[in-house]
Amino acid sequence: MARVEPGELIVDPPTLENLGFRWYIAGDSNRNASVRVAYRPVGEAVWRDALPLLRVHHELANQDYGVYRTGNLFAGSVMFLQPGTAYEVCLVMDDPDGGAPPPKRLTVSTREVPKIRPDAPLRHVYPTDYRGELAANALLGLEAALREARPGEVLALHAGVYRGPFAAALKGQPGLPIVIRAAGDGEAILEGTGHQADLLDLDGAEYVHLEQLSLRHARTAIRAGKRGQAGAVGLVVRGCKFSDVVSGIVATSENSRDWYLADNELEGINPTWYPRPGDNKYMEPAHTGINVYGQGIVVCYNRIRRFSDALAIANFGIPVDDLQRHCVAVDFYGNDLSFAQDDCLETDYGCHNIRVYRNRCYNAHTGLSVQPSYGGPIYLIRNEVYGITALSFKLHNYCTGLVIYHNTCCSARDGLSSFNRWQNGHFRNNLILGGDPQPDARGNLPNVRAINTGTITPYSTLDYNGYRRNGPGQFILWFDGSKSASYQSLAEFTAGTGHEAHGVIVDYEDFVRARPPAAGATVQPENWDLRLRPTAAGIDRGCVLPNVNDGYEGTAPDLGCYELGSEPMHCGPRQAAGE
């Protein structure tokens, strides 16, 4: 049926900076319906355009390992907003075949940064081996404090070692969290029994804050529920340090929601990141730094290193039937991710409104992974990826719903290389550069292509991107859903596929400071500066993307993650934890 039939409109759980929407429909078999989006802070007169909602239309994801048919809907986000602010959002559906409803106007507020009430009652907690004079209202041992904790109370852990494991299904309340934090007189350490056991079990916890603590010597430092379990609601982990752990924070429950993991330092136990171990041992000895699932999850400004995967959505499998329990409204931003022998950042198994922006990825096998995704949009925006040995983008397992804008990616191999059957993907305003070809044992130079991938949906699009000619061999190898073809220039690629009518050729000389990465060569952020020179080929060569590159300078937006003249992005913990 060509005519659209609007159905349920779902507002996803708001996060600090973003609002997400899913509008389910029937019909529109010819995919010519659309949903425009405008927004404004409540009380302001001027409406601003946002990106239109992405059309999701029964794509078949993960076809080799557990096929999942996505829904029939529009989905998308209004992004980069102010925390704790009310916004009016207007959604306008249109279909030339008829059936579109009147515009929908909603008022939705972003979440506030979690705070602790200045008048919160304080309970002092000391290690069980403490021999000094106790403060008033004090307890010995964290176990006793967890049994006594009440909503709104702050447990101030004084310096020392608190030996676990601990289980804490604590029940705080909105506005009255149970806070466990360092007292400020020295390091408060939660210590596990080794790499075979977890340290802190928070399955079933509600509105619990962990702040300025050190967690060490465990299999998983914090575990907050598995598939089908209660998970955790309103969890805050802020300004903490994790060390000597196989995994840092892990939650694989579809019932987790409204998290804030910010300004933490996590270091795993992998001795190196290259070469990636073979024989399916690339997730050993460390596993994942932060591994989450649920709705309304914010992971920002963390430094994560020496894990196999640094930051990821959990490998949940097929989403549950309940649309309210799908993995949606997940934000990863401002994170510094490195020394990952597999992937720096994974959105694998995410469903809708997964937002990944302004992260820095380096010293890894893969930069940004989407394998698979269950509908989208998966937003990858203004990320900086450098010193990657294999893949800047891993678009595997028939992933679907990719919105990839304004990234700068520099790999030692092909520029854009991946499994060639991704779906409903859209690349705009990216800079994608590969490495120099290195001779093999016989002295032969391999092809290091600008593009070596493809898509099986004819409505996927690539345009306004910048690519490097990495060597004298084949420039582009592209699969269009039925056959592969080779192209020796962007003009040939456009003539053969319709893609990249506005694409440009770029090189490392376009950056303030950078050189082609070498496979396995460890780099540090001070080794490169991916801001553009004034003479760069990518200046003023992008397209306008509302709510993404508003306020650009010049005649058009610049390509890559930086507009000319902008400051380097800040990634990793901020000076003051929790700011």
Side-chain angles (χ1 to χ4, degrees), residues 82 96-97 106 108 120 173 186 189 249 318 330 333 359 363 373 416 483 485 539-540:
Q82 293 299 310
D97 303 305
L106 309 167
V108 188
Q173 298 172 5
I189 302 168
I249 304 171
I318 299 298
V330 175
Y333 59 90
N359 299 283
N363 296 339
S373 53
L416 175 56
K483 66 182 185 306
I539 299 292
D540 293 346

Side-chain angles (χ1 to χ4, degrees), residues 331-364:
D331 295 351
F332 295 161
Y333 59 90
N335 299 289
D336 184 88
L337 311 171
S338 70
F339 268 74
Q341 64 186 25
D342 194 29
D343 303 337
C344 276
L345 194 153
E346 290 187 352
T347 64
D348 310 1
Y349 299 90
C351 296
H352 306 287
N353 291 315
I354 310 300
R355 294 156 309 223
V356 174
Y357 55 95
R358 297 196 306 270
N359 299 283
R360 180 167 59 206
C361 304
Y362 56 104
N363 296 339

Side-chain angles (χ1 to χ4, degrees), residues 17-35:
E17 297 188 352
N18 304 296
L19 301 173
F21 306 90
R22 288 176 281 159
W23 199 343
Y24 289 83
I25 63 170
D28 190 36
S29 58
N30 56 7
R31 299 187 83 256
N32 68 344
S34 62
V35 177

Side-chain angles (χ1 to χ4, degrees), residues 308-506:
S308 297
D309 291 338
L311 171 59
I313 291 176
N315 291 5
F316 184 84
I318 299 298
V320 297
D321 292 337
D322 183 354
L323 297 178
Q324 302 286 357
R325 293 293 180 267
H326 283 195
C327 185
V328 300
V330 175
D331 295 351
F332 295 161
Y333 59 90
N335 299 289
D336 184 88
L337 311 171
S338 70
F339 268 74
Q341 64 186 25
D342 194 29
D343 303 337
C344 276
L345 194 153
E346 290 187 352
T347 64
D348 310 1
Y349 299 90
C351 296
H352 306 287
N353 291 315
I354 310 300
R355 294 156 309 223
V356 174
Y357 55 95
R358 297 196 306 270
N359 299 283
R360 180 167 59 206
C361 304
Y362 56 104
N363 296 339
H365 177 76
T366 296
L368 302 168
S369 173
V370 189
Q371 64 150 1
S373 53
Y374 293 129
I378 310 294
Y379 294 103
L380 307 179
I381 298 176
R382 294 198 187 277
N383 297 287
E384 181 177 296
V385 179
Y386 185 82
I388 300 302
T389 291
L391 307 174
S392 290
F393 299 103
K394 184 193 288 183
L395 311 179
H396 288 9
N397 295 353
Y398 298 86
C399 59
T400 179
L402 316 173
V403 178
I404 302 177
Y405 294 162
H406 275 294
N407 301 281
T408 300
C409 299
C410 305
S411 168
R413 298 184 188 170
D414 293 344
L416 175 56
S417 179
S418 187
F419 180 63
N420 58 14
R421 285 164 173 78
W422 43 268
Q423 306 170 78
N424 195 16
H426 308 278
F427 286 75
R428 296 288 186 277
N429 297 2
N430 301 286
L431 290 173
I432 302 173
L433 294 80
D436 291 336
Q438 301 298 314
D440 61 19
R442 296 182 178 181
N444 298 316
L445 288 177
N447 284 325
V448 182
R449 303 174 180 89
I451 302 175
N452 179 16
T453 185
T455 179
I456 57 173
T457 45
Y459 43 88
S460 294
T461 61
L462 295 85
D463 205 0
Y464 294 93
N465 300 292
Y467 303 93
R468 180 181 188 241
R469 188 176 292 278
N470 303 306
Q474 189 181 63
F475 182 54
I476 293 175
L477 181 62
W478 180 258
F479 180 71
D480 67 0
S482 61
K483 66 182 185 306
S484 293
S486 176
Y487 304 96
Q488 289 303 109
S489 69
L490 286 175
E492 283 187 17
F493 185 49
T494 301
T497 66
H499 296 303
E500 292 300 354
H502 303 91
V504 298
I505 299 297
V506 299

